[in-house]
Amino acid sequence: MSNWKDNIRIVDPYTPGEQPKDKNIIKLNTNENPYPPSPLVEMTIKNFSEDLNRRYPDATADKLISNLAKYHGCDKNQVFAGVGSDDVLGMLFLTFFNSDKPILFPDITYSFYPVWAELFKIPYQTIPLNSSFEINISDYNIPNGGIVIANPNAPTGIYLDKSSVEEIISSNPDSIVIVDEAYIDFAPEGSSCIDLIDKYDNLVVVRTFSKSRSLAGLRVGYALSNPEVIKYLNDVKYSYNSYTLNSLAIEAGSVSIDDEAYFRKTIADIVNTRERFAKELENIGFDVLKSSTNFLFAGNKNINTEDLFNYLKANNIYVRYFKSPRIDNFLRITIGKEEEMERLIEKINEFLTQ
Amino acid sequence: MSNWKDNIRIVDPYTPGEQPKDKNIIKLNTNENPYPPSPLVEMTIKNFSEDLNRRYPDATADKLISNLAKYHGCDKNQVFAGVGSDDVLGMLFLTFFNSDKPILFPDITYSFYPVWAELFKIPYQTIPLNSSFEINISDYNIPNGGIVIANPNAPTGIYLDKSSVEEIISSNPDSIVIVDEAYIDFAPEGSSCIDLIDKYDNLVVVRTFSKSRSLAGLRVGYALSNPEVIKYLNDVKYSYNSYTLNSLAIEAGSVSIDDEAYFRKTIADIVNTRERFAKELENIGFDVLKSSTNFLFAGNKNINTEDLFNYLKANNIYVRYFKSPRIDNFLRITIGKEEEMERLIEKINEFLTQ
């Protein structure tokens, strides 16, 4: 055996949801948006100049960054963009979590957090959610090297009220607190912590274009914070890859922000479908956690959840099932189009009555 | 001051070449290809399905990986793709360079190598090129934690013959040897080490679409090795970001491989221009290193090179100047179109006779 094998960083990677290619599958397993991106995106891609492919992209992604700054009413130097929010989060972990003390995040949350911690050899401690799958904010008043809160949380869909998030941030002035707002556009207005970035120098808010902007395939995510945090983050980015976003992502991502009416319309449609579908699931005996996202987390103690998951899959409906402690009798179901959810209810009923 | 600042990874990032937006600038500073990508690329982008933006990309980038495997006559599990070769190289450093012994690379080479080493806290030692800017292969017979050789080298443009590279690989069976072939398509046929990946389990060859395939703006690079190395590399990739390549990069990158005739034609044009331009530079008193790339590294001891660099810039011609020991009287000049090189020679003559 060659000795080079002694020097490998051996890791247990994150498992993304399946991406079946069959167009007949109703795909409710990765929280994609059922509606296409803004028509402006398609137009931009069709009119894309070949010269933008030939040349290196703008390393600063200025067009996208400027537009995001304008959208959120902050300065350009408060915005950092990456290849999806995973790239942004990974880089945040690498840049700011270099303490000997453990970073903290809930036991049930985005399952990529422990994977980044393992990859970069960052000590971490998970903090159990309470029996209602809620965060108990006083649990975070312990020595730590950083905190990560997904709000709304995944896969539960539960939103932690803003004043509670603020208390975690203000109680931990010596730690970077990342608030991962991947799903916040599906929560009630005024839920976001973005307006706190000027108040707390330890706060970083992370967003993605993959859910509310229907652009999972384009890979765009971003972080908002104070200029100092963004500068350190950019230094690490430029030490890894000068040009992370390709020119198409910069151009198409940027114009998608311009179509606010379309954006609000698709979000409202998804929220309406979510509320109707949640009631239907409750009517047939499911416990449905209160969702502020584009998915539902629902369980039924009278059935074998894994069997239901497999039954749906056999019927060309993909949802997500986590065979993990505390949540192995729940399914995470992305909100699709009305007709997709009707078909799903039909098949669940079929399973229940078989 | 907040204590979170004690836990920042503070780095000195790589400085990419300038990307001026003014279309009138003759841009010969970042080794982009002067010719557009294959027309197949444009067609693919124009016909791109919006559904591919809405959904997550194929995390395995199968279409691209399969096409690369076919092109190089290897198996799919011998290919890894990333966001430009920088992403691929960064991930290779993170995955395989975890020894206490220093990794080795030349003192004059791609200036990103020491930046990745600093970022990931990898010890490294630079090995001086000889006075002709060539690699002395016996210098690499010392204890090390890995080796990186750019071949042809940058910014010198000099090619190290394949048997010498093979000797470095075979003399270091306990180290991963990365051969960075970013510019190999501009070298004579048969120069690549790709056909050695089945012979040496410690060899990784890295390639990019940014130079010979005119796709710097799309961000596609790849590595070829044995299935075991590729598996470890993928584990790290999936532990950082499941979906690094966006769907447009997978689709457009993949079709660019199909247009071999166009690919060969543009490379031949660039090589012809390079040889003609090298002679012209020599005729007006420059020392020109023998190039096997799409750029020339040329110096003139009778002039102030930085002054020439600034003179050209003031005349809207951007080339690259490195204010570093041993090479601060050289310019790195990308090979552009014939008319661009003529204009450059004109302006250099103007500088020399002013």
Side-chain angles (χ1 to χ4, degrees), chain A residues 46 53 211 217 219 243, chain B residues 33 46 53 56 217 219 243:
Chain A
K46 285 213 185 308
N53 269 334
K211 319 295 182 185
R219 309 304 291 132
Y243 313 96
Chain B
N33 197 310
K46 286 215 185 305
N53 269 334
Y56 278 98
R219 309 303 292 131
Y243 313 96

Side-chain angles (χ1 to χ4, degrees), chain B residues 187-205:
Chain B
E189 247 189 273
S191 307
S192 170
C193 284
I194 283 184
D195 59 354
L196 301 178
I197 58 171
D198 289 325
K199 189 169 173 188
Y200 299 101
D201 75 347
N202 60 325
L203 169 63
V204 186
V205 177

Side-chain angles (χ1 to χ4, degrees), chain A residues 41-169:
Chain A
V41 169
E42 189 165 7
M43 214 165 68
T44 300
I45 290 173
K46 285 213 185 308
N47 295 323
F48 188 72
S49 146
E50 273 309 276
D51 223 40
L52 284 171
N53 269 334
R54 184 180 69 78
R55 291 196 173 185
Y56 279 98
D58 172 11
T60 68
D62 185 61
K63 196 164 176 176
L64 175 66
I65 296 279
S66 299
N67 223 5
L68 282 168
K70 202 176 90 190
Y71 186 76
H72 289 297
C74 63
D75 285 338
K76 282 203 298 190
N77 61 8
Q78 294 185 274
V79 187
F80 173 86
V83 180
S85 58
D86 286 345
D87 181 36
V88 175
L89 287 162
M91 233 161 248
L92 282 164
F93 274 55
L94 180 61
T95 308
F96 295 106
F97 293 163
N98 295 287
S99 168
D100 293 332
K101 292 179 211 148
I103 62 167
L104 311 178
F105 45 81
D107 62 338
I108 299 166
T109 189
Y110 187 27
S111 45
F112 224 129
Y113 302 153
V115 175
W116 284 309
E118 297 279 355
L119 175 64
F120 296 128
K121 301 178 180 174
I122 300 163
Y124 67 95
Q125 181 182 338
T126 57
I127 309 288
L129 297 176
N130 70 18
S131 59
S132 310
F133 296 114
E134 290 160 346
I135 287 174
N136 181 5
I137 57 171
S138 65
D139 293 347
Y140 290 81
N141 290 336
I142 55 172
N144 66 76
I147 293 172
V148 192
I149 300 290
N151 197 35
N153 198 10
T156 62
I158 291 175
Y159 170 69
L160 177 65
D161 66 279
K162 189 171 161 182
S163 60
S164 297
V165 182
E166 183 167 358
E167 203 166 318
I168 294 178
I169 300 162

Side-chain angles (χ1 to χ4, degrees), chain A residues 40-41 44 61-68 209 213 215 218 220 248-259:
Chain A
L40 292 182
V41 169
T44 300
D62 185 61
K63 196 164 176 176
L64 175 66
I65 296 279
S66 299
N67 223 5
L68 282 168
F209 280 50
R213 296 201 178 274
L215 286 170
L218 194 67
V220 181
L248 282 154
I250 294 170
E251 297 289 321
S254 175
V255 298
S256 88
I257 306 166
D258 296 334
D259 202 346

Side-chain angles (χ1 to χ4, degrees), chain A residues 286 300 302-315 317 319 321 323 328-331 347-348 350-352 354:
Chain A
F286 280 76
N300 183 332
N302 303 318
I303 63 168
N304 181 317
T305 311
E306 195 171 9
D307 283 353
L308 172 57
F309 169 76
N310 287 322
Y311 182 82
L312 293 173
K313 196 167 171 179
N315 280 281
I317 301 177
V319 298
Y321 175 65
K323 210 170 181 167
D328 55 0
N329 67 330
F330 279 84
L331 292 179
K347 286 292 154 190
I348 294 175
E350 220 174 83
F351 174 85
L352 293 175
Q354 77 185 346

Side-chain angles (χ1 to χ4, degrees), chain A residues 42 45-46, chain B residues 40-50 52 248:
Chain A
E42 189 165 7
I45 290 173
K46 285 213 185 308
Chain B
L40 291 182
V41 169
E42 189 165 6
M43 215 165 66
T44 300
I45 291 173
K46 286 215 185 305
N47 294 323
F48 188 73
S49 145
E50 273 309 277
L52 284 171
L248 281 154

Side-chain angles (χ1 to χ4, degrees), chain B residues 163-316:
Chain B
S163 60
S164 297
V165 182
E166 182 167 359
E167 205 167 316
I168 294 177
I169 301 162
S170 65
S171 311
N172 288 279
D174 290 335
S175 298
I176 288 289
V177 179
I178 299 174
V179 181
D180 179 354
E181 295 191 340
Y183 297 101
I184 198 84
D185 290 320
F186 304 102
E189 247 189 273
S191 307
S192 170
C193 284
I194 283 184
D195 59 354
L196 301 178
I197 58 171
D198 289 325
K199 189 169 173 188
Y200 299 101
D201 75 347
N202 60 325
L203 169 63
V204 186
V205 177
V206 175
R207 295 285 191 98
T208 178
F209 280 50
S210 299
K211 319 294 183 185
S212 52
R213 295 202 180 275
S214 310
L215 286 170
L218 194 66
R219 309 303 292 131
V220 181
Y222 59 105
L224 301 172
S225 188
N226 59 76
E228 195 178 1
V229 160
I230 297 300
K231 194 248 169 214
Y232 285 120
L233 192 54
N234 265 319
D235 282 352
V236 164
K237 180 247 178 182
Y238 284 114
S239 292
Y240 181 73
N241 190 353
S242 311
Y243 313 96
T244 51
L245 288 165
N246 65 20
S247 297
L248 281 154
I250 294 170
E251 297 289 321
S254 175
V255 298
S256 88
I257 306 166
D258 295 334
D259 202 346
E260 184 70 8
Y262 182 88
F263 179 63
R264 291 292 157 205
K265 169 77 170 69
T266 49
I267 289 171
D269 287 349
I270 290 165
V271 168
N272 286 337
T273 304
R274 178 187 77 201
E275 294 306 309
R276 187 156 44 243
F277 176 62
K279 279 200 200 85
E280 288 189 55
L281 276 179
E282 280 168 351
N283 289 343
I284 56 173
F286 280 77
D287 294 320
V288 183
L289 302 191
K290 167 94 185 112
S291 170
S292 298
T293 64
N294 70 335
F295 60 83
L296 289 180
F297 204 51
N300 183 332
K301 290 198 179 97
N302 302 319
I303 63 168
N304 181 317
T305 311
E306 195 172 9
D307 284 352
L308 172 57
F309 168 76
N310 287 324
Y311 183 82
L312 293 173
K313 195 167 172 180
N315 280 280
N316 274 345

